Amino acid sequence: MPRHSKNVERSLPERALVVDNGAYTIKAGFANPSPDPDTDCQVIPNCVAKSRDNRVWIGAQIENCSDYGDMAFRRPVQKGFLVNWEAEREIWENTFLSKDAKVKCDPHDTSLLLAEAPNCPAALQSNCDQIVFEEFEFAAYRRCVGPSLNAFNDIPSLLEDPPRTTDLDSLPVECVLVIDSGYSHTTVTPVLRGKPIQQAIRRLDMGGKLLTNYMKEMLSVRQMDVRDETYLMNQMKEDTCYVSSNFKNDLESIGKGPLTAGKKTPPGYEDIVMDFVLPDYSTRMRGEIRPHDPTTMAMRTKLGAVTNAEGVKEYIMALGNERFTVPELLFSPGDIGMKQAGLSETVMQSMSGLPPGLWPSMLSNILVVGGSSKFEGFLERLSSEIRQLAPAECPVRVAAAPDPIKWTWLGGARLAGNKVALKELLVTRQEYQEYGSAWLLKRFSVGSAS
């Protein structure tokens, strides 16, 4: 097999583009020595959508849409893996190459650092490499496991540890257990010195997409047909759902309390039940949360419409146990018949793949990222359950990233901002053309801790 000669001086571009290609959104931006996720990172919907007027919206264009009703989505990333390059190509071209691109770049003068999900099939990896080098023609490229990039962030400050010295600031933290709960799946990845420990990575086939679909099914059976309202149901889930600290008690409170007027409500009932006013996409562009009003709900028509004091017709849905039974699936997948362990048990399964000597370091440095970790009460429930399952002699500390959606991107940007370290990782387009895709797969696979 041909080997790359280290004596040959490689010419690498000055600009490095960091892309976290998630199932729901793409996080993209250029690296610099002091990256700021608020200003340097753009979040772009990773989808091609079709509205009910048959107009097609690609990536960031969807932000200009004024009517999300009955909108159909095509997403290139399924179950965490990029499987549809036909759609992804359109989104990337709109995001990076078009006249109004959110993150405009010239691939010929740009290095690409691309984050992927753990345990991606080799065939999909090879296809991705070919698209990057042969179609987009990036000058240099590195594909790496997304959760491992979080090790380059300032994790000690999240856990209230002493700050790291300046000479260590550019290096990854020694140990971190990354729980990434995203749109299509959830992964638990132990990371040692910036490298994922492959045999201990665990996956839960539960994410924001399944939770949204579950909410659609429940409300369609109980109140009105919302099976085609994916965008609205996703927004409702994000705005109203929470993780219960005492699932049984909350369920009993809802079960004993009616959603109609004239009946006494049990303790805790009014804290859970709320009304959600649906948007009409003309006067109201986003759903509105209101305190539950049984009198108003009693006036609803069969289609859920209520005429308010101003004479305007509103469509209202009363949300009860849907608020906490939906995110409960992350901790109890068996509630819908999935034969998988919950998130806390999955963490302990990951620990079983590690030497016992690493358990204290990993369990005391747990980092939570991903959009599905933003539910109120998520962190407290996860920490409590892991504490119950972990050995008594192991301290358990769980921290949430300040911005769970952009945190992986930020780790990649900090890595790419270190040009010396980045130079060792990148593969140039000339090297790819000389050695081929099989060599590239082996080159990128040498990055896991054993």
Side-chain angles (χ1 to χ4, degrees), residues 28-173:
F30 293 102
N32 60 68
S34 301
D36 182 354
D38 293 331
T39 58
D40 298 329
C41 179
Q42 296 291 326
V43 180
I44 299 103
N46 195 8
C47 64
V48 177
K50 187 175 183 180
S51 53
R52 52 184 159 197
D53 59 359
N54 290 326
R55 181 172 177 179
V56 177
W57 306 85
I58 300 173
Q61 293 176 355
I62 198 173
E63 298 171 358
N64 301 320
C65 180
S66 59
D67 185 356
Y68 299 99
D70 297 335
M71 181 169 279
F73 294 88
R74 182 167 57 137
R75 300 191 182 277
V77 178
Q78 299 291 334
K79 298 184 178 180
F81 305 127
L82 210 174
V83 297
N84 186 347
W85 265 107
E86 179 183 355
E88 194 67 84
R89 186 185 294 106
E90 292 184 53
I91 298 167
W92 276 30
E93 288 175 350
N94 180 268
T95 302
F96 304 131
L97 306 179
S98 69
K99 180 181 178 181
D100 301 320
K102 284 271 190 177
V103 189
K104 192 171 183 62
C105 73
D106 179 0
H108 299 97
D109 298 324
T110 307
S111 301
L112 174 65
L113 180 67
L114 178 65
E116 66 172 2
N119 297 326
C120 182
L124 296 180
Q125 291 178 327
S126 180
N127 190 36
C128 178
D129 299 340
Q130 292 176 31
I131 296 291
V132 167
F133 273 136
E134 297 180 14
E135 295 200 23
F136 286 93
E137 299 183 351
F138 277 95
Y141 165 59
R142 177 73 188 193
R143 173 175 41 76
C144 52
V145 175
S148 65
L149 295 177
N150 290 280
F152 293 89
N153 285 318
D154 186 14
I155 296 175
S157 66
L158 298 181
L159 296 166
E160 299 182 353
D161 286 339
R164 307 175 78 195
T165 57
T166 306
D167 58 327
L168 295 177
D169 194 47
S170 62
L171 299 176
V173 295

Side-chain angles (χ1 to χ4, degrees), residues 1-2 122-123 125-127 129-130 133-134 141 143 427 431-446:
M1 183 188 77
Q125 291 178 327
S126 180
N127 190 36
D129 299 340
Q130 292 176 31
F133 273 136
E134 297 180 14
Y141 165 59
R143 173 175 41 76
V427 170
E431 289 172 327
Y432 169 78
Q433 291 173 330
E434 181 177 354
Y435 301 127
S437 58
W439 171 84
L440 191 62
L441 281 174
K442 294 181 179 179
R443 172 76 184 268
F444 286 167
S445 67
V446 181

Side-chain angles (χ1 to χ4, degrees), residues 65-353:
C65 180
S66 59
D67 185 356
Y68 299 99
D70 297 335
M71 181 169 279
F73 294 88
R74 182 167 57 137
R75 300 191 182 277
V77 178
Q78 299 291 334
K79 298 184 178 180
F81 305 127
L82 210 174
V83 297
N84 186 347
W85 265 107
E86 179 183 355
E88 194 67 84
R89 186 185 294 106
E90 292 184 53
I91 298 167
W92 276 30
E93 288 175 350
N94 180 268
T95 302
F96 304 131
L97 306 179
S98 69
K99 180 181 178 181
D100 301 320
K102 284 271 190 177
V103 189
K104 192 171 183 62
C105 73
D106 179 0
H108 299 97
D109 298 324
T110 307
S111 301
L112 174 65
L113 180 67
L114 178 65
E116 66 172 2
N119 297 326
C120 182
L124 296 180
Q125 291 178 327
S126 180
N127 190 36
C128 178
D129 299 340
Q130 292 176 31
I131 296 291
V132 167
F133 273 136
E134 297 180 14
E135 295 200 23
F136 286 93
E137 299 183 351
F138 277 95
Y141 165 59
R142 177 73 188 193
R143 173 175 41 76
C144 52
V145 175
S148 65
L149 295 177
N150 290 280
F152 293 89
N153 285 318
D154 186 14
I155 296 175
S157 66
L158 298 181
L159 296 166
E160 299 182 353
D161 286 339
R164 307 175 78 195
T165 57
T166 306
D167 58 327
L168 295 177
D169 194 47
S170 62
L171 299 176
V173 295
E174 186 77 12
C175 291
V176 60
L177 182 68
V178 181
I179 300 174
D180 187 350
S181 187
Y183 185 67
S184 60
H185 71 309
T186 299
T187 57
V188 179
T189 309
V191 181
L192 181 64
R193 302 186 188 94
K195 298 180 180 180
I197 304 177
Q198 190 64 36
Q199 72 272 16
I201 296 175
R202 296 295 182 270
R203 172 190 171 104
L204 174 62
D205 294 322
M206 181 75 65
K209 181 179 180 179
L210 192 149
L211 300 183
T212 299
N213 289 338
Y214 184 54
M215 194 165 199
K216 284 196 298 184
E217 290 178 9
M218 283 200 298
L219 292 175
S220 294
V221 170
R222 297 175 180 180
Q223 300 194 46
M224 67 177 72
D225 189 356
V226 289
R227 289 173 295 177
D228 294 330
E229 300 292 345
T230 302
Y231 186 90
L232 173 61
M233 289 298 102
N234 196 71
Q235 178 210 82
M236 183 187 292
K237 176 196 70 178
E238 293 175 351
D239 290 352
T240 65
C241 285
Y242 70 95
V243 175
S244 173
S245 60
N246 194 324
F247 182 77
K248 184 178 179 180
N249 282 0
D250 284 355
L251 203 58
E252 288 179 352
S253 296
I254 291 295
K256 294 177 181 178
L259 294 176
T260 56
K263 295 185 179 181
K264 186 177 180 180
T265 58
Y269 176 84
E270 293 181 351
D271 295 332
I272 298 174
V273 180
M274 61 173 52
D275 293 342
F276 190 87
V277 185
L278 306 184
D280 56 14
Y281 299 117
S282 57
T283 60
R284 181 182 290 111
M285 298 303 297
R286 187 175 180 88
E288 179 185 339
I289 297 173
R290 294 178 183 170
H292 178 58
D293 184 353
T295 304
T296 301
M297 298 307 295
M299 298 168 56
R300 288 195 312 172
T301 66
K302 289 184 178 180
L303 294 178
V306 176
T307 302
N308 62 18
E310 290 78 25
V312 179
K313 184 179 290 186
E314 297 178 330
Y315 288 87
I316 302 177
M317 302 184 82
L319 301 178
N321 63 21
E322 297 90 354
R323 292 188 61 205
F324 57 88
T325 54
V326 169
E328 182 67 19
L329 296 182
L330 288 166
F331 297 89
S332 303
D335 290 354
I336 56 171
M338 287 185 65
K339 295 181 179 180
Q340 283 189 288
L343 181 54
S344 305
E345 290 85 356
T346 302
V347 169
M348 298 314 298
Q349 290 176 2
S350 175
M351 288 296 97
S352 66

